[in-house]
Amino acid sequence: MKGVEFEFTAHPIQYLTASFAGSYQDAYLTQSAPLDQTKLNPTLGVAGDAIPNVPKFQLTLGLNYTAPISGNWQGVVATDVTYRDAESGYFAGTKNTFNIALAPYTLMNLRLGLINGPWSATLFARNLTDKRAQVSVINSSQDPDALLTVRPRTVGLALTRKF
């Protein structure tokens, strides 16, 4: 496997934190499963096959603006956007007809909140665009295309106290 990961955090202006992280991975098998096993089970990988569920690229951008409002009160506005590249659900060798390709996707989250000492109240929206991103697959003879997706758009309120 070859790859690189990075993470940068900056404070370009007062109260604003920006973060940028990502990775590039070239993950593949260096050794094949034994030939007698691959004949019985075509889902096994062979040397050179990309490792399933490992995207080539992943990127995340986050912005957080936390500023005083009045007295002990602070306001928070934050967002993050995540990109995940296409990947295979199973080994994608030439003999593997069971593999299902998982498309790339982008997800966005948003948070608005108030903080007062150890207490905070945050209104959040996860998967703001309601993307039905496919993140994994369960392939079997009973259900050949059982795709697992991220949660649909979720909106809520979180009340928190730090101890």
Side-chain angles (χ1 to χ4, degrees):
M1 179 165 97
K2 301 174 191 170
V4 63
E5 293 181 18
F6 63 89
E7 184 176 345
F8 301 102
T9 301
H11 300 281
I13 61 173
Q14 188 176 18
Y15 308 124
L16 179 66
T17 301
S19 59
F20 181 54
S23 66
Y24 166 80
Q25 299 177 78
D26 186 16
Y28 54 88
L29 289 178
T30 58
Q31 185 176 345
S32 297
L35 185 58
D36 59 333
Q37 289 182 8
T38 57
K39 286 182 182 179
L40 293 173
N41 185 352
T43 65
L44 296 177
V46 296
D49 281 353
I51 295 177
N53 296 311
V54 178
K56 289 270 188 199
F57 296 98
Q58 296 183 90
L59 298 170
T60 299
L61 173 64
L63 298 171
N64 182 312
Y65 189 81
T66 303
I69 296 174
S70 176
N72 290 335
W73 290 92
Q74 292 181 301
V76 178
V77 176
T79 187
D80 57 82
V81 177
T82 301
Y83 170 79
R84 187 171 170 111
D85 203 9
E87 59 193 283
S88 293
Y90 289 91
F91 288 107
T94 56
K95 294 182 181 182
N96 186 356
T97 59
F98 296 100
N99 181 51
I100 296 173
L102 301 173
Y105 61 87
T106 303
L107 299 176
M108 179 184 226
N109 301 312
L110 180 64
R111 294 174 305 286
L112 304 170
L114 292 171
I115 301 170
N116 188 330
W119 291 95
S120 65
T122 306
L123 179 64
F124 62 86
R126 296 183 185 123
N127 190 7
L128 191 62
T129 60
D130 203 25
K131 175 76 175 173
R132 297 294 198 260
Q134 299 169 351
V135 295
S136 190
V137 63
I138 301 169
N139 196 336
S140 69
S141 59
Q142 293 85 21
D143 189 0
D145 295 336
L147 296 166
L148 304 174
T149 62
V150 297
R151 285 184 182 192
R153 180 184 307 119
T154 304
V155 177
L157 177 66
L159 299 172
T160 308
R161 186 186 192 295
K162 294 182 181 179
F163 293 95

